[in-house]
């Protein structure tokens, strides 16, 4: 008589050895002869071909789950302005900006992303973007956790700032 024993996650066929059963082993079944455990039926020595694996179909819903840059807020104006609050989810984010100074040969542009309820004039802050070029158009990645924020923009001239998140 043979016993099939499951021990440590392996299915092992052992001869009749009731005295040698190890702790944590569970006797699954007692049978006279192992059924279906011939080497040929397990394909132990056979090689797999690409035809052995069926591709998993991708549903239309999974195809549309591709993340893309999504506009969270756009703010434009001139001079120094504060925006209404907007919300970030904590995923990858960036700001895109464009400005042009009203003075030839010099400029000043700074964008702060400030936690709701804080004021950089009272608590200070470090700008996400700062430039002294006459004009510029670029983007900068930002690292902000999920929360509510507002933009504080300071520029000599006209500007536009867009906050985007990967969603």
């Amino acid at each position: 008589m043979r016993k099939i024993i499951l021990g440590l996650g392996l299915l092992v066929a052992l001869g009749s050895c009731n005295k040698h059963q190890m702790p944590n082993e569970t006797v699954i079944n007692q049978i006279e002869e192992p059924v279906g455990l011939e080497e040929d039926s397990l394909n132990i020595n056979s090689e797999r071909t690409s035809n052995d694996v069926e591709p998993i179909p991708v549903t239309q819903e999974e195809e549309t789950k591709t993340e893309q840059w999504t506009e969270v807020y756009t703010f434009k104006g001139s001079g120094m302005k504060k925006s209404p609050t907007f919300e970030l989810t904590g995923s990858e984010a960036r700001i895109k900006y464009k400005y042009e100074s009203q003075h030839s040969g010099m400029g000043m542009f700074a964008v702060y992303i400030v936690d709701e309820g804080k004021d950089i004039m009272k608590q200070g802050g470090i700008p996400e973007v700062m430039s002294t070029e006459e004009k510029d158009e670029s983007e900068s990645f930002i690292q902000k956790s999920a929360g509510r924020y507002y933009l504080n923009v300071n520029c000599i001239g006209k500007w536009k700032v867009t906050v985007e998140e990967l969603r």
Side-chain angles (χ1 to χ4, degrees), residues 22-105:
M22 298 176 67
N24 297 333
E25 291 184 342
T26 306
V27 176
I28 302 292
N29 195 3
Q30 292 185 1
I31 56 176
E32 291 295 323
E33 291 295 322
V35 178
L37 294 180
E38 296 82 22
E39 188 172 307
D40 292 339
S41 70
L42 295 176
N43 293 327
I44 291 172
N45 296 321
S46 67
E47 293 184 22
R48 294 193 79 129
T49 65
S50 61
N51 294 336
D52 292 340
V53 180
E54 292 184 31
I56 299 172
V58 177
T59 64
Q60 185 176 9
E61 181 179 315
E62 289 172 328
E63 288 179 7
T64 60
K65 287 185 179 179
T66 305
E67 292 183 322
Q68 59 185 2
W69 288 107
T70 304
E71 182 180 317
V72 175
Y73 186 72
T74 296
F75 190 43
K76 57 186 175 179
S78 62
M80 186 174 174
K81 302 255 187 307
K82 293 180 184 178
S83 76
T85 58
F86 56 89
E87 191 163 342
L88 294 176
T89 64
S91 66
E92 192 171 351
R94 68 183 179 187
I95 55 174
K96 294 174 104 176
Y97 60 91
K98 179 180 181 178
Y99 74 91
E100 188 171 343
S101 175
Q102 63 191 27
H103 299 291
S104 178

Side-chain angles (χ1 to χ4, degrees), residues 90-149:
S91 66
E92 192 171 351
R94 68 183 179 187
I95 55 174
K96 294 174 104 176
Y97 60 91
K98 179 180 181 178
Y99 74 91
E100 188 171 343
S101 175
Q102 63 191 27
H103 299 291
S104 178
M106 66 176 245
M108 198 287 296
F109 178 75
V111 178
Y112 299 81
I113 300 178
V114 187
D115 291 349
E116 181 181 41
K118 296 199 175 184
D119 185 348
I120 62 167
M121 298 305 283
K122 294 178 183 172
Q123 288 125 352
I126 298 173
E128 297 293 335
V129 174
M130 182 170 224
S131 177
T132 57
E133 300 295 319
E134 184 178 347
K135 61 182 177 177
D136 195 8
E137 181 174 358
S138 190
E139 63 185 48
S140 181
F141 285 88
I142 57 175
Q143 285 71 45
K144 294 291 186 181
S145 56
R148 295 188 56 79
Y149 300 91

